[in-house]
Amino acid sequence: MFGQEIGIDLGTATVLIYVKGKGIVLREPSVVAIEKSTKKVVYVGNLAEKMIGRTPSNIETIRPLKDGVISNYEATAKMLKFLLRKVCGKTIFKPRVMVCIPSTISEVEDRAVREAAYEAGAKFVELIEEPRAAAMGAGIDIKKPMGSMIVDVGGGTTDVAVISFGSIVKAKSIKVAGDKFDEAIIKYIRKTYNILIGEPTAEEVKIKIGCLVPFDTAIEMDIKGRNLDTGLPMVVVVNSDDIYHALKEPISEIIDAIHIMLSDTPPELVGDISENGIVLTGGGALIYGFAELISDKIGIPVVVAKDPIECVVKGTGIAMQNREIS
């Protein structure tokens, strides 16, 4: 094979890789474990994530992407190089790569993504906006002369975009998404129960009992943390109503972004969106009641895409199938 064609969803929380002709072949956390003295990468992805909060003094775990963009260029390049080698194996042919980026990325951030991909071993690098990729991955025919709204809730950013004739008409990217949800949960648990929990625990709580519309019967969960008064381990029981209250503030910012986007969109396209509804993608879309809450606040039908976490990277596959990367 003279160079594979690879699509990459370079997310703040997770990296997904799509290989043309094979589909999604890799999904790993965007985490790198580095030896402090030598800056040598020790672990990447799943193994590195398991080390968060458990590393010895000479090792640190970092997330090289923050708020949807590269915050640590060197670590990002090393992470990509490791993952591309894992996918491509020992081949002499460099892959051609398409990387997803937030809709409102700056020129500096654009260049950083391209350079990191080239540094990782790509022969050719092309970028695609996450909302366009997410829409295609969700099954929307973006080439139609009709307005569609996509809300992609990732780890670092939420992208809200209106798409028509294959292009983004309006777009807004806010740095409120999965990571901010975790921070809100940590803050609420600390204030309510006087214990400190880590990011992995907050994420587990979000996934298991997180909700944006209260359950008919609250779901309980035991969580472990450190008592802020005694400094000793402590176990408390939290329930889904706690998490519902914890997530109110960050979710309101996403609702506001959707409101702003609709108010800035041409009336004809708003009419299309009202008829066709809004499509939710990304990991955040899986939180119970998200679609129902947006629909209630906005007054427009909202649906969660099938396999919302995979929509963006699937969209790169569709883009590659519809035109050659050269």
Side-chain angles (χ1 to χ4, degrees):
M1 179 181 291
F2 293 95
Q4 292 176 309
E5 291 188 6
I6 293 175
I8 301 176
D9 177 5
L10 189 61
T12 303
T14 309
V15 176
L16 288 90
I17 294 181
Y18 180 103
V19 175
K20 188 175 180 181
K22 295 181 179 179
I24 300 172
V25 297
L26 181 142
R27 175 179 168 182
E28 298 217 16
S30 305
V31 183
V32 180
I34 296 177
E35 193 175 68
K36 292 181 180 179
S37 59
T38 64
K39 301 300 179 183
K40 178 183 177 182
V41 172
V42 182
Y43 296 110
V44 170
N46 290 317
L47 291 175
E49 185 182 47
K50 291 178 181 178
M51 297 182 72
I52 294 177
R54 299 182 175 91
T55 57
S57 59
N58 64 319
I59 302 291
E60 66 174 340
T61 54
I62 62 172
R63 294 185 180 272
L65 293 106
K66 183 175 176 61
D67 298 331
V69 296
I70 294 174
S71 60
N72 187 318
Y73 169 80
E74 186 177 352
T76 300
K78 289 179 178 178
M79 178 180 70
L80 273 178
K81 189 172 185 177
F82 176 89
L83 296 177
L84 285 176
R85 281 183 177 177
K86 191 172 182 178
V87 169
C88 299
K90 295 180 180 179
T91 175
I92 62 172
F93 301 109
K94 293 185 176 183
R96 290 172 286 177
V97 171
M98 179 181 284
V99 185
C100 297
I101 56 170
S103 56
T104 54
I105 197 170
S106 70
E107 289 186 13
V108 173
E109 292 161 345
D110 178 303
R111 187 165 60 251
V113 173
R114 291 180 187 274
E115 290 178 354
Y118 280 122
E119 180 71 20
K123 175 185 177 182
F124 178 84
V125 179
E126 184 173 356
L127 306 184
I128 182 172
E129 302 100 327
E130 286 176 359
R132 286 185 65 234
M136 289 188 284
I140 298 173
D141 185 355
I142 65 172
K143 293 182 179 179
K144 285 186 175 181
M146 181 176 292
S148 300
M149 175 173 276
I150 194 87
V151 179
D152 182 54
V153 188
T157 61
T158 292
D159 281 285
V160 184
V162 176
I163 302 172
S164 182
F165 280 109
S167 299
I168 293 178
V169 179
K170 294 283 184 178
K172 185 176 181 64
S173 182
I174 61 171
K175 296 176 181 180
V176 179
D179 288 349
K180 286 295 189 291
F181 300 164
D182 294 344
E183 290 175 16
I185 291 170
I186 292 171
K187 182 179 178 181
Y188 183 90
I189 296 299
R190 179 172 185 160
K191 181 179 180 180
T192 306
Y193 294 98
N194 198 39
I195 71 167
L196 181 64
I197 62 172
E199 292 178 8
T201 300
E203 184 175 17
E204 183 182 6
V205 169
K206 176 182 67 181
I207 292 170
K208 289 186 175 180
I209 63 172
C211 63
L212 297 172
V213 172
F215 290 104
D216 292 335
T217 303
I219 303 172
E220 295 184 339
M221 177 180 173
D222 291 346
I223 61 170
K224 300 175 183 178
R226 186 176 73 240
N227 186 290
L228 291 170
D229 290 331
T230 66
L232 298 175
M234 182 178 177
V235 178
V236 297
V237 179
V238 299
N239 63 49
S240 53
D241 288 343
D242 286 321
I243 311 309
Y244 166 73
H245 290 295
L247 295 177
K248 276 186 175 181
E249 185 177 337
I251 293 303
S252 67
E253 294 185 52
I254 294 177
I255 301 292
D256 289 344
I258 297 173
H259 266 296
I260 292 170
M261 186 58 54
L262 287 169
S263 66
D264 289 343
T265 299
E268 292 79 6
L269 296 180
V270 172
D272 293 338
I273 294 166
S274 297
E275 182 178 345
N276 299 326
I278 297 170
V279 178
L280 268 180
T281 63
L286 294 172
I287 298 177
Y288 178 81
F290 206 162
E292 183 180 343
L293 176 67
I294 296 175
S295 182
D296 181 61
K297 296 292 185 180
I298 303 295
I300 294 174
V302 180
V303 297
V304 177
K306 182 181 178 182
D307 301 322
I309 295 176
E310 300 178 351
C311 285
V312 170
V313 77
K314 283 181 177 177
T316 65
I318 294 170
M320 288 188 290
Q321 289 168 6
N322 282 294
R323 61 186 175 85
E324 293 295 324
I325 303 175
S326 57

